[in-house]
């Protein structure tokens, strides 16, 4: 961490305090109040004088010191609300500026993520923070459409990403509450007069908003609302120019939900076909590869081996294609050989090659360091278990399903649950065996 970055972070901390009209003593008292609200043991509460000395070290003009994790938590809860007491975590808020300042001073990404999760969990559990992630610029544009500009669309997209980042970390019902004001803000902005230059950005943000709303409705078992949200996302995507990555991606998001709902693999395959058609016009090879990979896996599930092989061939071609000089896909979207291997394994699973599928799935790397990685690893384990059942090894399959339950994150998604249920149904011929009944009892306890 460069010294200049640390000094800049300290200056940002000082500016935050001064903008609120807080002296060192006033800020120390405010932090002590946060500690009391968070029920810190009285014996561990620092003194006002001690906190003033700490503040001086954090804000030092030439050799600042990064606040300890405990003090970072107090600062986070202090700046998570406006001076008037309203929750505010969105872009442009004091809370966001605090995280940037701490990052400059050397706080790691994992620690900052934990801070955001801790504060978000505390605020939303109180039931009073429906607008906690609505950026200030968006609120201003809702009150005065003349203030709608590029920053509003960008902040709307960022707010959606912040909610999406909490998938598998917070209860889905709570995430719905967090997203609700963003959905309503999107509707209001789309209904008002939008400058021509802002139309693509606003429609792109809206697609992301309604796709996530559809996913969350699905996770809370409201399939009718999920379909309505995805229909709106599709309408917004069609207003984007041909070649936009969001035109195929909205279909892929919808296909994932359809596959695990009552709609089933047939509807999911139709959505994947629509995604592949749209992706054909997209210059981003990662988007094309994802679309064809999903189409291949769904065609295999539906018993169409030839279509699966054709789509896999196209995905393989795009896996090794260089990206366009001007990236057009969503930030961070990649498709590499490991993703291709995963789709190939799923296709083999449904085309009568379970042992090969198991071996391929065993080589798929996973990152279980966070909840998103844990969820994906749990799904891969269920696919491997299915392969073992079809290869005639039910006992080993049951052991893998136990491991999958151990791996799944605390707020297990409906998608992960459905995958485990599918694998469990593969064990029906052995339902009287003790190792199957034991697994069944645990599934009832864990998933219900």
């Amino acid at each position: 961490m460069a010294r200049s970055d640390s000094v800049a972070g300290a200056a940002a901390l000082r500016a935050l305090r001064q903008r609120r009209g807080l002296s060192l003593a006033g800020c120390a008292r405010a932090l002590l109040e946060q500690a009391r609200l968070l029920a810190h043991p009285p014996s561990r509460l620092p003194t006002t004088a001690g906190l003033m000395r700490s503040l001086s070290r954090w804000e030092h003009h030439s050799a600042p010191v990064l606040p300890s994790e405990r003090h970072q938590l107090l600062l986070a809860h202090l700046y998570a609300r406006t001076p008037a007491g309203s929750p505010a975590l969105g872009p442009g808020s004091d809370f966001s500026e605090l995280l940037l300042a701490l990052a400059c001073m050397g706080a790691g990404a994992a620690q900052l993520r934990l801070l955001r999760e801790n504060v978000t969990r505390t605020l939303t559990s109180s039931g009073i923070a429906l607008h906690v992630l609505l950026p200030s610029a968006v609120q201003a544009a809702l009150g005065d459409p003349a203030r709608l500009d590029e920053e509003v669309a960008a902040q709307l997209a960022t707010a959606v990403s912040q909610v999406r980042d909490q998938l598998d970390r917070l209860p889905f019902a709570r995430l719905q509450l967090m997203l609700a004001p963003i959905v309503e803000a999107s509707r209001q902005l789309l209904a008002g007069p939008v400058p021509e230059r802002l139309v693509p950005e606003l429609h792109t943000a809206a697609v992301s908003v309604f796709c996530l709303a559809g996913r969350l409705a699905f996770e809370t078992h409201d399939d009718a609302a999920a379909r309505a949200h995805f229909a709106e996302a599709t309408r917004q995507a069609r207003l984007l120019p041909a070649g936009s990555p969001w035109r195929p991606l909205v279909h892929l998001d919808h296909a994932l939900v359809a596959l695990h709902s009552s709609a089933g693999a047939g509807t999911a395959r139709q959505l994947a076909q629509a995604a592949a058609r749209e992706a054909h016009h997209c210059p981003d090879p990662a988007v094309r590869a994802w679309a064809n990979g999903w189409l291949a896996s769904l065609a295999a599930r539906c018993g169409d081996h030839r279509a699966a092989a054709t789509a896999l061939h196209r995905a393989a071609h795009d896996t090794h294609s260089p990206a366009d000089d001007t990236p057009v896909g969503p930030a961070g979207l990649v498709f590499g050989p490991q993703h291709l291997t995963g789709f190939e394994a799923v296709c083999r699973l449904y085309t009568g090659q379970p042992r090969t599928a198991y071996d391929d799935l065993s080589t798929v790397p996973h990152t279980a360091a966070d909840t998103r990685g844990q969820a994906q690893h749990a799904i891969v384990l269920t696919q491997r278990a299915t392969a073992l059942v079809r290869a005639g090894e039910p006992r080993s399959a049951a052991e893998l399903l136990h491991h999958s339950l151990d791996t799944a994150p605390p707020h297990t998604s409906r998608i992960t649950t459905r995958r485990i249920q599918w694998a469990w149904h593969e064990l029906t011929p052995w339902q009287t065996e003790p190792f199957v009944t034991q697994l069944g009892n645990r599934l009832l306890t864990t998933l219900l």
Side-chain angles (χ1 to χ4, degrees), residues 10 32 63 67 186 280 310 408:
L32 279 173
S186 299
H280 179 72
T310 300

Side-chain angles (χ1 to χ4, degrees), residues 165-311:
D165 287 344
Q166 301 301 318
L167 285 173
D168 300 313
R169 296 189 180 113
L170 290 178
F172 294 107
R174 193 179 299 176
L175 293 176
Q176 274 190 312
L177 290 177
M178 294 164 59
L179 189 67
I182 304 174
V183 171
E184 185 57 32
S186 299
R187 288 198 173 107
Q188 292 185 38
L189 292 173
L190 290 167
V194 180
E196 188 67 27
R197 74 181 192 283
L198 298 180
V199 169
E201 287 82 0
L202 192 56
H203 286 308
T204 296
V207 172
S208 182
V209 171
F210 289 112
C211 277
L212 182 55
R215 168 69 186 278
L216 293 178
F218 161 78
E219 293 290 359
T220 53
H221 297 268
D222 190 347
D223 289 355
R227 287 192 296 271
H229 285 308
F230 277 113
E232 182 59 35
T234 302
R235 283 194 291 270
Q236 297 300 324
R238 285 172 180 164
L239 297 174
L240 296 171
S244 167
W246 291 104
R247 293 184 64 154
L249 290 178
V250 66
H251 293 306
L252 290 183
D253 275 2
H254 194 181
L256 178 66
V257 165
L259 175 62
H260 298 87
S261 70
S262 58
T267 299
R269 183 186 180 186
Q270 292 173 3
L271 290 164
Q273 288 171 332
R277 286 193 298 269
E278 292 285 3
H280 179 72
H281 304 288
C282 182
D284 190 333
V287 173
R288 299 195 301 269
W290 274 112
N292 282 298
W294 266 103
L295 179 57
S297 67
L298 290 166
R301 284 176 183 269
C302 294
D304 193 339
H305 301 178
R306 179 176 295 181
T310 300

Side-chain angles (χ1 to χ4, degrees), residues 115-187:
L115 276 179
R116 180 177 289 281
E117 291 176 7
N118 184 294
V119 172
T120 300
R121 184 178 295 109
T122 300
L123 290 178
T124 57
S125 64
S126 66
I128 63 172
L130 287 181
H131 291 77
V132 68
L133 287 178
L134 196 59
S136 56
V138 176
Q139 295 184 40
L142 292 175
D144 180 8
R147 300 179 68 173
L148 181 60
D149 57 17
E150 288 84 353
E151 182 184 8
V152 172
Q155 289 195 359
L156 195 64
T158 300
V160 178
S161 296
Q162 290 175 348
V163 179
R164 189 183 292 275
D165 287 344
Q166 301 301 318
L167 285 173
D168 300 313
R169 296 189 180 113
L170 290 178
F172 294 107
R174 193 179 299 176
L175 293 176
Q176 274 190 312
L177 290 177
M178 294 164 59
L179 189 67
I182 304 174
V183 171
E184 185 57 32
S186 299
R187 288 198 173 107

Side-chain angles (χ1 to χ4, degrees), residues 352-374:
Q353 305 173 68
R355 173 51 66 180
T356 304
Y358 175 83
D359 292 340
D360 289 346
L361 287 166
S362 299
T363 67
V364 174
H366 68 274
T367 305
D370 59 15
T371 52
R372 190 71 52 83
Q374 290 171 352

